[in-house]
């Protein structure tokens, strides 16, 4: 287990107390249980005061310390004068609004993926962080987990799998469009940005970049094969999200990847992920956050040698020095979510930068948007053009809505 970290104690707020905030709270709880005491959650913020109060009550129960409750960021900034950081867990479309207001108020931010709702929105967050000399971190947990650190080691440090060559990810399933669920903000493209490509897909894009480097270009078909209405009061509102895509990735390193997903394939479905190097392949059954929450993958080398992922993790840990273990897995924590939160706390406490800042988040965001841009134009899209903003036909109406 790592020795206790040094640095000042930092004061945090949780901004947005919906579903993902509960996962963050469990991560903070694990850190406290392991002995990380350099932070205090002093406030919760949500436009629904009942949700903010419920979150505050859970924090008070865990810590024994009082937590203030606010309905707006303005109230928070007006009352909490010693706030070091804010953990933003709001809807995608509000990420840049919340982030920029907090940064302008002198507060460092950890913003849930996919950082801004568009490339322009993300650049606005980055500009605000630079202008106010504050940290803007992207809340991306998967690459920090022991499973994904292990696969990175297997491809890029140990030589076990040789040179990375290709990866293939596919998920095919059926969700009956006759089922009419209640409306939620992800259904609205101007609030959610759109579907799984940029929602859970943001995790996989960060992971593929971590393992295989930067992407040069993509080509994608992105479709909505079925209309999927949602009930919003007395009205039915169609879901804006895609229910099918297939895509190809050309990496600057020469690696080639293919990624396909649908929930509009009746009958028997399947999921498969394969990651191949010149000496072997790792397989898993999760195409969004492989090896993050469960060690169920397998590695097979060209000579027939096979490793379960737990065995591969053991080899990886055995390759690390004590200092390396402490840096990657402080307090012996190996889960992605608490490590994501620890990175932010430690950065604020010691004055260093975070591992995944908003600029790193922008590079992943641009990949997701490149798939949508390719799907709209039916053309191969260069990542550099999406980052520069010269290709933005898909994002344009969302940018217009948010006055970006």
């Amino acid at each position: 287990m790592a020795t206790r970290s040094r640095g000042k104690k930092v004061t945090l707020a949780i901004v947005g107390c919906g579903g993902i905030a509960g996962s963050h709270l469990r991560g903070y709880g694990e850190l406290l249980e392991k002995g990380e005491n350099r932070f205090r959650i002093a406030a919760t913020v949500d436009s629904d005061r009942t949700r903010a109060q419920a979150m505050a009550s859970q924090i008070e129960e865990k810590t024994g310390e009082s937590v203030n409750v606010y309905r707006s960021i303005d109230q928070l900034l007006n009352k909490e004068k010693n706030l070091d950081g804010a953990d933003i867990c709001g809807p995608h479309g509000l990420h840049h609004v919340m982030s920029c207001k907090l940064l302008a108020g002198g507060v460092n931010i950890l913003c849930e993926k996919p950082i801004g709702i568009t490339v322009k929105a993300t650049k606005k967050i980055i500009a605000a962080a630079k202008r106010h000399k504050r940290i803007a971190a992207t809340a991306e947990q998967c690459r920090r987990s022991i499973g994904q650190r292990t696969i990175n080691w297997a491809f890029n440090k140990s030589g076990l799998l040789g040179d990375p060559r290709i990866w293939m990810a596919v998920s095919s399933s059926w969700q009956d469009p006759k089922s009419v669920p209640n409306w939620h903000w992800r259904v609205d493209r101007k609030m959610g940005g759109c579907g799984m490509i940029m929602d859970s897909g943001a995790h996989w894009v960060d992971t593929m970049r971590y393992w295989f480097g930067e992407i040069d270009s993509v080509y994608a078909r992105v479709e909505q094969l079925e209309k999927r209405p949602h009930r919003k009061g007395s009205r039915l509102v169609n879901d804006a999200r895609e229910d099918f895509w297939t895509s190809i990735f050309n990496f600057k390193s020469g690696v080639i990847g293919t990624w396909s997903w649908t929930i509009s394939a009746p009958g028997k479905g399947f999921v498969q992920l394969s990651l191949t190097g010149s000496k072997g392949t790792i397989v898993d059954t999760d195409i969004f956050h492989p090896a993050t929450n469960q060690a169920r993958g397998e590695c097979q080398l060209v000579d027939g040698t096979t490793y379960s992922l737990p065995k591969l993790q053991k080899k990886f840990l055995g390759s690390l020095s004590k200092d390396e273990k402490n840096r990657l897995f402080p307090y012996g924590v190996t889960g992605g979510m608490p490590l994501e939160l620890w990175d932010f706390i430690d950065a604020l406490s010691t004055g260093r930068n975070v591992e995944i800042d908003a600029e790193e988040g922008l590079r992943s965001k641009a990949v997701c948007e490149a798939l949508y841009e390719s799907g709209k134009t039916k053309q191969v899209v260069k990542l550099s053009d999406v980052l520069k903003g010269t290709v933005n036909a898909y994002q344009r109406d969302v940018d217009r809505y948010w006055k970006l």
Side-chain angles (χ1 to χ4, degrees):
M1 181 176 290
T3 56
R4 184 157 299 190
S5 301
R6 298 178 180 179
K8 70 173 186 176
K9 189 164 187 173
V10 298
T11 302
L12 306 176
I14 296 178
V15 180
C17 299
I20 194 62
S23 297
H24 284 228
L25 184 56
R26 288 189 290 275
Y28 288 119
E30 182 174 344
L31 292 176
L32 288 170
E33 290 169 5
K34 294 289 189 178
E36 176 54 88
N37 58 9
R38 293 176 300 162
F39 71 98
R40 173 177 178 255
I41 303 173
T44 59
V45 183
D46 199 288
S47 57
D48 182 342
R49 186 178 175 85
T50 303
R51 289 202 306 193
Q53 183 60 64
M55 180 70 65
S57 297
Q58 291 182 67
I59 297 167
E60 288 172 347
E61 186 176 341
K62 286 179 182 288
T63 65
E65 298 180 300
S66 63
V67 178
N68 296 321
V69 174
Y70 304 102
R71 290 191 63 186
S72 71
I73 291 172
D74 288 335
Q75 289 179 357
L76 174 76
L77 294 174
N78 187 48
K79 295 291 187 179
E80 302 289 337
K81 299 301 183 183
N82 297 309
L83 197 61
D84 295 296
D87 183 350
I88 297 172
C89 298
H92 303 162
L94 296 179
H95 284 179
H96 69 285
V97 178
M98 293 174 165
S99 295
C100 291
K101 184 169 285 192
L102 286 158
L103 291 163
V107 180
N108 302 285
I109 62 108
L110 171 67
C111 183
E112 253 300 330
K113 60 81 194 164
I115 197 68
I117 192 170
T118 64
V119 167
K120 278 189 176 181
T122 307
K123 287 181 176 180
K124 188 170 184 178
I125 296 171
I126 293 167
K130 289 180 178 178
R131 183 163 58 250
H132 300 291
K133 296 180 172 59
R134 291 295 182 268
I135 288 174
T138 301
E140 175 49 66
Q141 75 267 28
C142 293
R143 72 158 75 172
R144 308 172 199 266
S145 67
I146 187 172
Q148 291 208 358
R149 298 290 196 197
T150 296
I151 293 173
N152 182 61
W153 167 83
F155 270 110
N156 298 311
K157 297 182 179 179
S158 70
L160 186 69
L161 289 165
D163 297 327
R165 284 185 172 176
I166 55 175
W167 59 263
M168 293 176 282
V170 60
S171 174
S172 179
S173 65
W174 172 245
Q175 291 184 14
D176 191 348
K178 292 179 182 177
S179 174
V180 181
N182 290 327
W183 184 92
H184 52 91
W185 58 263
R186 280 180 165 86
V187 170
D188 183 345
R189 195 164 76 84
K190 293 181 176 63
M191 186 59 73
C194 233
M196 290 290 279
I197 285 175
M198 67 172 286
D199 201 332
S200 291
H203 293 303
W204 175 231
V205 168
D206 180 77
T207 296
M208 69 171 78
R209 292 181 50 248
Y210 175 53
W211 289 341
F212 304 121
E214 297 302 336
I215 296 147
D216 180 69
S217 64
V218 302
Y219 176 77
R221 287 288 303 274
V222 183
E223 306 290 346
Q224 189 180 72
L225 302 179
E226 300 276 0
K227 297 296 182 186
R228 298 177 181 275
H230 284 58
R231 189 174 292 104
K232 187 177 185 182
S234 60
R235 298 184 298 126
L236 290 180
V237 177
N238 279 328
D239 193 336
R241 296 172 295 178
E242 70 278 358
D243 63 7
F244 166 88
W245 75 80
T246 189
S247 55
I248 185 165
F249 293 74
N250 301 302
F251 287 75
K252 291 182 178 180
S253 64
V255 169
I256 302 168
T258 63
W259 189 26
S260 302
W261 176 91
T262 187
I263 54 171
S264 291
K268 187 175 181 179
F270 70 101
V271 183
Q272 179 71 46
L273 173 68
S274 65
L275 313 163
T276 299
S278 57
K279 295 181 180 179
T281 293
I282 291 176
V283 296
D284 202 340
T285 54
D286 187 333
I287 70 164
F288 292 112
H289 13 63
T292 300
N293 301 311
Q294 293 181 313
R296 58 191 177 192
E298 182 179 78
C299 170
Q300 186 171 89
L301 303 182
V302 68
D303 64 4
T305 303
T306 300
Y307 298 99
S308 66
L309 191 56
K311 188 173 181 181
L312 205 61
Q313 289 176 3
K314 188 174 181 180
K315 286 177 67 68
F316 164 58
L317 289 173
S319 75
L320 299 176
S321 67
K322 182 179 179 181
D323 286 346
E324 288 171 328
K325 285 181 184 177
N326 289 343
R327 178 176 59 82
L328 292 173
F329 308 114
Y331 303 98
V333 174
T334 58
M337 181 65 79
L339 288 171
E340 162 195 301
L341 302 172
W342 179 86
D343 185 47
F344 185 57
I345 292 164
D346 189 65
L348 300 189
S349 180
T350 62
R352 65 170 177 83
N353 199 8
V354 291
E355 179 180 359
I356 307 176
D357 60 14
E359 294 197 37
E360 180 72 357
L362 171 63
R363 287 186 279 274
S364 292
K365 157 56 76 179
V367 177
C368 298
E369 296 293 1
L371 294 181
Y372 288 123
E373 298 292 352
S374 179
K376 186 174 182 66
T377 63
K378 307 292 192 293
Q379 300 292 321
V380 174
V381 169
K382 300 276 286 186
L383 264 294
S384 57
D385 290 334
V386 177
L387 282 166
K388 287 185 293 187
T390 55
V391 173
N392 69 343
Y394 181 83
Q395 303 165 78
R396 198 171 297 143
D397 63 328
V398 179
D399 286 336
R400 191 179 299 119
Y401 176 83
W402 291 107
K403 297 181 172 60
L404 294 168

